[in-house]
Amino acid sequence: MDVLDFELLKTGLHATLLSRIDLEKLSSIDDGKARRAVSTMIQEIVGAQKVPLNAAEKKQAESDLLDEVFGLGPLEPLLRDPSVSDILVNNRNTVYVERRGILERTGATFRDDRHLMQVIERIVSRVGRRVDESSPMVDARLPDGSRVNAIIPPLALDGPCMSIRRFGGGPSAAETLVKLRSISPEMLQVLAAAVKARISILISGGTGAGKTTFLNILSGFIPETERIVTIEDAAELQLKHDDVVRLETRPANAEGQGAVRQRQLLVNSLRMRPDRIILGEVRGDEAFDMLQAMNTGHEGSMATIHANTSRDALSRLESMVAMASVNIPERSVRQQIASAVSVVVQVSRMSDGSRKVVNISEITGLEENTVSMHDIFNFVRKGIGPDGKVVGSFQPSGIRPKFLDKLRVAGIGLPAEVFEHSVEVN
């Protein structure tokens, strides 16, 4: 049977199946029992229609129909593939995935635009969000924490499109980053000490650079005795701590009312007795309140920000404070940034698809009208190897950070060799 006939057959089987099952009742049954019941029903339908399918085609049809009922249809096989880090649906006929940093087209397709819309609506309805002509853009998440963004017509000219940013089943281990040569052991040791000593950290990088993943890993060094409040647009942080309160923004309803922004959540979180506040991404006027929190008893808080360099991250932060419509002199804003943020970590996605920490910089204060900053570690890129991999080395700058005094007060000591040892990446 050719591909077109097989797809038409599955469409007919799916319609017959939907006419025989009660989806609302099915959702209240244990998932394992429900799948077994639907699987038996599919086999009965296939047998009753006497369709000309061999054993392999019957098994494939059954698997695809189960994915339609219980999962995300054609995307389910891609979601089950651990090597896939991103799923990019350009339109109903074009689906790309990223594997090991490289984009490749897949054979996955949807029957039509309506089929794709059904999958998008299934995702967003799970987290209480909506997508329609009056609200054609939506951010949502999958149960495993993966981030979903969807845009539909009239904004998307070629039909509904969607991107899924995978975050796996749980936080990555810090040791994994070292094995992948994303960071040197010495750099990780310094950052771990900084987190334990309640030194505020800003993680900067471009889209897909791994900021959220790195924030998850650094949060693992926060002592279990501390209370954490996380604030995100779409909840994707997966902290291992027990004492964590997770907050998420809410978009406006159909009447344009009821929106809750990050700034409101941040102000409210200050009344929740947090030891640290973790902001998934600072992107607007909440930057002002974040700096206020870091300067008034919530040291050790962390956030991510989109920027190409550590210096650009501070410039963006300054611009966001201006969005808060508070008349604060430029020098005062920079003074607050210099006082609130101690370390800026720059992460980057390399040309070979790998992610690396390319800079760890320390903010040391304000000199005249400029925030003073120096690098502690750098990744020095030297070229491309025969296998297409980036070649370079993690190198210390030779400058001892000023926050070593804070580490000593916290009872944390770092050997001098940490700031002297280079690590080659071949």
Side-chain angles (χ1 to χ4, degrees):
M1 181 177 292
D2 63 37
V3 174
L4 181 59
D5 289 341
F6 186 57
E7 290 299 322
L8 290 173
L9 176 62
K10 283 196 300 181
T11 301
L13 292 173
H14 187 234
T16 303
L17 178 64
L18 291 180
S19 69
R20 292 181 56 177
I21 61 176
D22 185 339
L23 291 176
E24 187 173 337
K25 184 178 179 181
L26 200 66
S27 64
S28 63
I29 304 174
D30 174 74
D31 190 60
K33 291 181 180 178
R35 291 184 76 92
R36 286 192 293 272
V38 173
S39 180
T40 301
M41 195 177 293
I42 293 171
Q43 293 169 11
E44 292 174 356
I45 293 172
V46 172
Q49 294 190 1
K50 296 184 174 61
V51 290
L53 296 176
N54 57 39
E57 289 172 333
K58 288 181 180 179
K59 186 175 181 180
Q60 183 64 48
E62 180 181 337
S63 176
D64 291 349
L65 288 173
L66 286 172
D67 287 342
E68 288 289 347
V69 174
F70 295 99
L72 302 183
L75 302 183
E76 278 299 313
L78 303 177
L79 289 168
R80 288 193 290 265
D81 186 347
S83 67
V84 172
S85 56
D86 290 308
I87 301 173
L88 309 172
V89 182
N90 292 357
N91 52 56
R92 65 182 184 275
N93 294 318
T94 311
V95 180
Y96 282 82
V97 297
E98 181 186 293
R99 286 188 175 93
R100 293 171 289 276
I102 305 299
L103 287 176
E104 57 185 68
R105 186 168 179 172
T106 72
T109 59
F110 294 83
R111 291 190 300 273
D112 49 34
D113 285 349
R114 182 60 198 153
H115 184 201
L116 177 52
M117 274 300 301
Q118 288 172 348
V119 171
I120 293 173
E121 288 167 352
R122 188 177 303 171
I123 293 171
V124 302
S125 64
R126 288 174 180 171
V127 292
R129 303 205 171 185
R130 65 186 181 87
V131 58
D132 50 41
E133 283 194 10
S134 63
S135 180
M137 297 184 293
V138 65
D139 283 316
R141 66 180 184 278
L142 298 180
D144 67 357
S146 299
R147 184 171 61 206
V148 180
N149 176 270
I151 305 180
I152 67 171
L155 300 188
L157 300 181
D158 298 322
C161 59
M162 173 172 57
S163 62
I164 301 177
R165 303 288 309 283
R166 302 289 302 282
F167 289 96
S172 301
E175 295 76 14
T176 303
L177 286 187
V178 176
K179 290 179 182 177
L180 293 174
R181 299 296 183 90
S182 295
I183 190 172
S184 72
E186 291 78 13
M187 293 165 72
L188 184 61
Q189 187 178 356
V190 170
L191 290 177
V195 172
K196 293 172 184 175
R198 297 179 61 85
I199 292 171
S200 298
I201 297 175
L202 185 65
I203 300 171
S204 166
T207 301
K211 298 185 297 297
T212 302
T213 299
F214 197 69
L215 180 58
N216 260 322
I217 290 172
L218 287 188
S219 69
F221 297 110
I222 298 175
E224 288 290 344
T225 55
E226 297 187 20
R227 176 175 171 82
I228 304 170
V229 175
T230 68
I231 300 170
E232 302 173 82
D233 268 338
E236 56 197 36
L237 291 171
Q238 301 171 34
L239 275 63
K240 299 177 184 178
H241 288 66
D242 291 329
D243 195 358
V244 176
V245 178
R246 304 171 70 218
L247 305 179
E248 183 180 48
T249 60
R250 185 178 69 185
N253 59 22
E255 291 75 35
Q257 305 296 319
V260 179
R261 301 170 61 198
Q262 283 198 128
R263 187 176 187 186
Q264 294 168 273
L265 292 177
L266 184 54
V267 171
N268 186 79
S269 72
L270 300 176
R271 307 185 183 105
M272 301 174 70
R273 198 252 175 239
D275 289 305
R276 306 197 197 210
I277 298 171
I278 297 182
L279 198 59
E281 181 183 335
V282 55
R283 63 179 71 189
D285 54 7
E286 69 275 3
F288 173 72
D289 299 283
M290 181 190 75
L291 294 178
Q292 296 298 307
M294 289 179 173
N295 276 321
T296 54
H298 299 90
E299 299 92 345
S301 296
M302 294 184 280
T304 71
I305 188 170
H306 270 81
N308 293 327
T309 66
S310 299
R311 179 61 67 178
D312 287 347
L314 300 187
S315 297
R316 286 210 67 214
L317 201 55
E318 187 177 334
S319 300
M320 291 173 189
V321 171
M323 293 169 64
S325 300
V326 287
N327 295 318
I328 302 177
E330 183 181 83
R331 181 178 175 82
S332 296
V333 173
R334 292 177 181 175
Q335 182 66 58
Q336 286 205 32
I337 292 173
S339 299
V341 182
S342 296
V343 175
V344 181
V345 180
Q346 183 72 31
V347 294
S348 181
R349 176 175 167 176
M350 301 285 106
S351 57
D352 61 358
S354 64
R355 278 83 169 174
K356 297 190 187 303
V357 176
V358 295
N359 287 102
I360 298 177
S361 306
E362 181 186 29
I363 297 175
T364 56
L366 197 67
E367 292 184 3
E368 295 182 356
N369 202 31
T370 303
V371 177
S372 179
M373 172 191 287
H374 60 240
D375 292 340
I376 305 171
F377 292 97
N378 292 294
F379 176 73
V380 180
R381 183 168 172 170
K382 299 178 181 177
I384 303 294
D387 56 355
K389 298 293 184 182
V390 170
V391 176
S393 63
F394 295 109
Q395 296 181 1
S397 65
I399 299 174
R400 298 290 192 274
K402 290 188 175 181
F403 62 71
L404 285 178
D405 292 335
K406 289 186 179 180
L407 298 188
R408 293 190 193 98
V409 171
I412 301 171
L414 290 176
E417 302 78 50
V418 167
F419 302 102
E420 298 171 357
H421 185 241
S422 298
V423 176
E424 296 292 327
V425 178
N426 298 317

